Amino acid sequence: MNAEPCTYVIFGATGNLSRIKLMPALYHLDVARQLPEGTRILAIGRRPWDQQKWVEEARDMIQAKGDLDENVLQRFSERLYYHQGDIEQEQCYTDLAGLLNRNKNFPKNIAFYLSISPSDFGPVMEFLSKNSLFDEEYGWRRVIIEKPFGYDLDSAQALQKRISQYLTEQQIYRIDHYLGKGMVQNVLVFRFANVMLEPLWNRNYIDHIQFTHSETIGIESRGEYYDSAGALRDMLQSHLLQLLTLMAMEPPVSMEAESLRDEKVKVLKSIRPIPKEAVHGHAFRAQYGKGTINGEKVKSYLQEEHIPATSVTETYAAMKLYIDNWRWRGVPFYLRTGKRMAKAQSTISICFRHPPLQFFRDTQVQCMNPNWVLLGIQPEECIRIEMTVKEPGLEMNTRVSSLDASFRNSDEKTIDAYEDLLLDVLKGDRSLFLRFDEVEHAWRVVEPILQTWAIERDYIATYPAGSWGPEDSRRLFDKEAQSWRSSLIPEGK
């Protein structure tokens, strides 16, 4: 699939996402010579900047992320343009249409990146459509939308209804940067390119699967947004449910985008609905209190800026799901995410069933640890298989040993998720972007939890900052022997 030259139009180009992710990612694509010849990057912003000022700003954004190659920077700078305009005023779009039609430097293929508030998606698209900027008479038009896509099921459906007045589903690229991470894509390779584990990948051998995304940071300057969203919307409904679909799905017919996404939707459709009266048995929420992180005392969530003293917004959310299909019937899937936790990491932990113990009944081996397959997504990218082995010596004692496969060799650099995804937009490869029915069914999964928590405003559990979350979340587990797996290292090491 070849990338064609295009004009990348970035709304919100002077904002945080552009500064931290988009501009450095586009520059690194240019370093790797992956940006097609003639590609242009047109920034839309309110600030009264000229061309030179925008190039200087872009240079600062890139420099903050590492080394600069002056030759590449010169080539990259020639791609940059700035268009001053207020996205709430129609004049901005009339002038933009005139600029794109008049200036022969801009390729006719256009990708619009909406790095803006979700409440602005609809109005911006309406203005773009009014000014014929979605017409594909002379080249393709694609629109990249950042999450969150809606606030709940109703708002997601309303937003979809509005934007589908202007765009076809093929033109919409709903970005979940988590799916651009190399290790997430490696999950697909791990599962479908290695026949060794496939016969074991089912309810007969797997006891349960855990997904953990923990952060040591708090809410930083996002108080107003975060207090209206919470951990369930921010992470579980999007990133972790996506990981679950990749781990649980059937092998797709091919790696072609629609085949892959069809299988992910089948998983979401197969998740057992949570009845309102069973929410507390399937979900747990909590809020971080005061504590210590990396030796420094940190304040509680309620002491953060822009957080009301009565807030019961969760900074920790966990849930238990079942997938009612032939492969996974009866296997619990545990998902958790939290801020101000003991360690920042994303992991998938697959716990296998205990072997029959009769073979060891006359030995000192009382109870062996189950086998685990561990996938580190970030910051450590690895695959580990834990096995029980006999310790050297005359006694019949065992210990856990792990087979480690690092995803990356020491001389191979990491690639930011946005580099992958921005390039996929140029290629028209939608496999790592979300189709609307995926978004819709993910909202259906969490809707009963959101509705129940919205009513219960009197109390929320707390956990000390710097811990692994609230002890009471253990009540989600089906068996006494199950517990949260927080380390990629075997216990006792």
Side-chain angles (χ1 to χ4, degrees), residues 132-402:
S132 305
L133 285 163
F134 290 149
D135 293 358
E136 294 191 310
E137 192 177 347
Y138 300 109
W140 51 250
R141 300 286 188 272
R142 293 166 188 163
V143 177
I144 305 110
I145 304 174
E146 275 283 339
K147 82 169 185 80
F149 195 86
Y151 180 77
D152 54 17
L153 181 60
D154 287 347
S155 61
Q157 289 171 333
L159 178 57
Q160 174 64 14
K161 195 171 178 182
R162 182 163 187 190
I163 66 176
S164 57
Q165 294 174 347
Y166 317 118
L167 297 165
T168 65
E169 182 64 26
Q170 284 67 37
Q171 291 176 289
I172 304 169
Y173 287 69
R174 296 176 194 83
I175 197 166
D176 183 340
H177 67 270
Y178 217 69
L179 293 182
K181 292 185 185 300
M183 189 59 205
V184 171
Q185 295 169 58
N186 211 41
V187 168
L188 292 172
V189 177
F190 166 70
R191 279 203 56 201
F192 301 127
N194 298 297
V195 77
M196 178 177 66
L197 284 170
E198 176 55 30
L200 311 179
W201 214 255
N202 57 56
R203 60 193 159 84
N204 298 322
Y205 297 97
I206 290 177
D207 181 71
H208 70 276
I209 299 181
Q210 298 182 22
F211 302 83
T212 294
H213 177 86
S214 57
E215 300 175 17
T216 53
I217 60 170
I219 57 167
E220 299 181 304
S221 59
R222 299 167 71 213
E224 285 177 20
Y225 161 74
Y226 198 88
D227 200 59
S228 66
L232 184 65
R233 285 185 177 89
D234 196 43
M235 284 300 306
L236 284 192
Q237 183 274 338
S238 51
H239 303 330
L240 293 191
L241 272 181
Q242 284 296 316
L243 283 186
L244 181 148
T245 61
L246 296 177
M247 292 304 289
M249 71 193 228
E250 295 301 317
V253 175
S254 71
M255 286 301 285
E256 184 263 333
E258 294 314 308
S259 298
L260 188 65
R261 301 198 296 183
D262 286 344
E263 294 304 333
K264 287 164 68 185
V265 170
K266 282 182 196 172
V267 173
L268 292 169
K269 282 182 174 178
S270 302
I271 291 175
R272 187 186 303 171
I274 300 171
K276 286 267 184 75
E277 63 274 13
V279 162
H280 293 301
H282 284 261
F284 192 91
R285 64 174 172 171
Q287 207 180 71
Y288 63 80
K290 291 187 216 174
T292 306
I293 295 201
N294 298 328
E296 283 186 27
K297 289 186 176 177
V298 296
K299 52 193 176 187
S300 71
Y301 178 74
L302 294 180
Q303 293 171 315
E304 302 278 14
E305 272 185 64
H306 306 299
I307 303 302
T310 55
S311 173
V312 289
T313 297
E314 77 284 357
T315 61
Y316 173 98
M319 64 182 177
K320 171 174 64 181
L321 300 173
Y322 295 96
I323 299 170
D324 286 340
N325 61 17
W326 187 269
R327 185 185 289 262
W328 296 114
R329 177 82 186 187
V331 176
F333 289 74
Y334 302 110
L335 298 80
R336 66 170 169 164
T337 184
K339 291 195 171 291
R340 290 285 188 224
M341 302 267 278
K343 189 177 179 185
Q345 64 180 24
S346 288
T347 57
I348 304 172
S349 309
I350 301 110
C351 181
F352 285 80
R353 292 186 180 281
H354 276 284
L357 299 180
Q358 293 88 323
F359 174 70
F360 300 102
R361 65 181 176 270
D362 297 325
T363 71
Q364 293 180 37
V365 179
Q366 297 299 318
C367 182
M368 293 181 302
N369 289 315
N371 298 129
W372 289 82
V373 172
L374 306 168
L375 289 96
I377 306 292
Q378 67 177 32
E380 189 176 356
E381 297 177 327
C382 65
I383 295 171
R384 293 202 172 119
I385 300 177
E386 288 185 0
M387 309 189 75
T388 301
V389 298
K390 180 185 174 297
E391 285 185 347
L394 301 175
E395 302 283 324
M396 183 56 173
N397 293 323
T398 61
R399 66 183 177 204
V400 174
S401 183
S402 68

